Amino acid sequence: MVDGLKKIDWYRLRSHDGYADELPRLLRQARTSVEPHEELVRQLTGEPGEVSEATAAAWPFLLDLVAHDNTPSREWLLENLCGAIAVAGGSGSAGVHSSWPPAFEASKPALLALLGHGSAAVRRGVLFVLGKGLGDSAPVLPALSARWEEEFDPATRLCLVIVATEYAGRGDEAAVTWLRDLPDVEQPARMLVSAATRPDADVILRGLTGDLELFLATGSFEMGYEEVLEHVLWLVGPKDFDGIDLVLALVDVLPWRTEALDYLRRLFERDTTDVGQVVPFVPVWIADPDVRLRAFAVWLVGVARAREYRDLVAERVHDQGVTSLGQHVSALATSVLLELG
């Protein structure tokens, strides 16, 4: 590492916190101490979707740190620094310096070599970086196949699938084929394979309503139902009919109801194009014992300007049900009636 650092004119490179002349010292110190970690984060990560030329230059040295077992808190570096850089670099943003894509592609052999590491946490961290950094899938997919045959940790096997779905979700047909041909797929991973290869919504629904403990264990970060739903809907395509159909199916599944309604609410707040597919459910939802459905139905009538359901909303002006956000259905109904005139 030391010789490699000397070959780069860091004084000419811009980091996210000025010039990069301090980076060689910080990277050397990180070999034996956690003290420079926060400063490395400050210099090497910027706003979401930004990667500086200094970050691209420092990337191979970060991977050197991660590859050595005696690097202190290397899992922290992998998740919090390398992961954040990969997310920004794979965003396709104009804030990503032109030196980043070739730097990331050049680093793939080193990343893929770490898939054989003895620590499942390291393997999962590397898979997260690969899935977010994206780029060319050609060297990645064969390595995923080889790892699939050897991997014994079920959560890491699921992470292998997640990497391929990241590619497939962005239209990579090679990744779609890889997922279709994947042998012996466990049920928790099958929902992502199904979503990424675009089947009917029922196939995905069966996976989503199964045992999600394994899915939620794929990262050291907490992942809730909403994040899982967002990922699957992103794969299906939230503006496709299958996407809406899936959300409507999830409304009937109690553990997913809040997330499904929140998703519809956010979708229709941005764009009411597909609201007509949901409005016919108003008569059923507005009379449901669940206050979440009654409140959503009232709100939906207002958003869709569905005056044909005005009388049903009027029946809710004395509804004293309170949502988890402290919203009274009666107050919401009164507001919607005023909007409808």
Side-chain angles (χ1 to χ4, degrees):
M1 175 189 281
V2 175
D3 289 340
L5 290 170
K6 290 179 179 178
K7 294 178 181 178
I8 297 174
D9 189 355
W10 296 97
Y11 288 87
R12 292 181 178 272
L13 300 180
R14 296 285 296 184
S15 73
H16 293 289
D17 192 44
Y19 286 101
D21 50 295
E22 287 296 306
L23 278 177
R25 175 183 63 82
L26 295 171
L27 290 166
R28 287 194 299 269
Q29 287 180 348
R31 293 183 301 170
T32 56
S33 171
V34 299
E35 184 178 345
H37 285 188
E38 294 294 342
E39 182 64 18
L40 282 171
V41 170
R42 190 165 67 86
Q43 293 213 20
L44 296 178
T45 61
E47 297 298 322
E50 288 185 355
V51 179
S52 71
E53 56 181 340
T55 299
W59 181 251
F61 302 106
L62 290 176
L63 296 187
D64 279 347
L65 290 172
V66 169
H68 283 82
D69 290 340
N70 25 343
T71 297
S73 297
R74 61 127 172 241
E75 287 86 358
W76 188 95
L77 282 173
L78 184 56
E79 179 181 341
N80 293 282
L81 184 51
C82 295
I85 294 169
V87 169
S91 67
S93 168
V96 177
H97 193 269
S98 59
S99 60
W100 167 255
F104 185 68
E105 290 300 327
S107 75
K108 280 182 178 175
L111 282 167
L112 294 171
L114 285 171
L115 290 182
H117 195 275
S119 166
V122 170
R123 297 197 301 275
R124 293 179 204 164
V126 168
L127 287 168
F128 179 81
V129 169
L130 287 167
K132 294 303 181 183
L134 294 172
D136 185 9
S137 66
V140 176
L141 295 176
L144 297 183
S145 296
R147 189 66 225 167
W148 181 264
E149 297 297 325
E150 300 175 5
E151 185 57 58
F152 57 86
D153 179 66
T156 307
R157 281 171 69 86
L158 182 53
C159 286
L160 290 165
V161 174
I162 291 174
V163 173
T165 65
E166 291 283 357
Y167 281 103
R170 289 170 172 81
D172 189 313
E173 290 302 324
V176 173
T177 300
W178 186 90
L179 287 163
R180 286 184 179 138
D181 295 342
L182 195 62
D184 305 322
V185 181
E186 295 88 352
Q187 179 61 26
R190 194 174 297 281
M191 64 178 178
L192 295 183
V193 174
S194 297
T197 52
R198 309 300 197 278
D200 62 279
D202 289 341
V203 174
I204 308 168
L205 181 61
R206 286 196 295 273
L208 284 171
T209 54
D211 181 6
L212 288 171
E213 289 183 10
L214 180 58
F215 190 95
L216 303 182
T218 56
S220 56
F221 54 90
E222 275 191 31
M223 181 178 283
Y225 284 138
E226 185 173 352
E227 288 84 355
V228 179
L229 177 62
E230 289 284 354
H231 186 66
V232 172
L233 289 173
W234 170 72
L235 289 167
V236 173
K239 299 301 291 182
D240 296 342
F241 178 77
D242 281 347
I244 297 295
D245 192 40
L246 173 59
V247 180
L248 292 176
L250 290 172
V251 169
D252 293 329
V253 182
L254 286 177
W256 288 85
R257 178 168 288 170
T258 296
E259 286 77 10
L261 292 176
D262 285 348
Y263 184 87
L264 288 171
R265 189 185 300 273
R266 292 195 304 274
L267 181 63
F268 296 143
E269 282 174 346
R270 295 194 306 266
D271 184 357
T272 59
T273 303
D274 295 324
V275 73
Q277 298 180 39
V278 181
V279 167
F281 291 88
V282 164
V284 176
W285 290 350
I286 208 167
D288 196 275
D290 191 332
V291 67
R292 292 173 295 178
L293 280 176
R294 299 201 307 276
F296 182 81
V298 171
W299 175 85
L300 185 62
V301 170
V303 169
R305 312 295 293 177
R307 289 184 172 82
E308 65 271 28
Y309 296 125
R310 193 182 187 283
D311 290 345
L312 294 179
V313 174
E315 294 174 5
R316 295 290 121 196
V317 295
H318 301 296
D319 188 333
Q320 297 306 309
V322 182
T323 69
S324 60
L325 298 177
Q327 185 179 43
H328 288 259
V329 177
S330 58
L332 182 58
T334 301
S335 175
V336 169
L337 288 174
L338 289 174
E339 290 178 8
L340 294 178

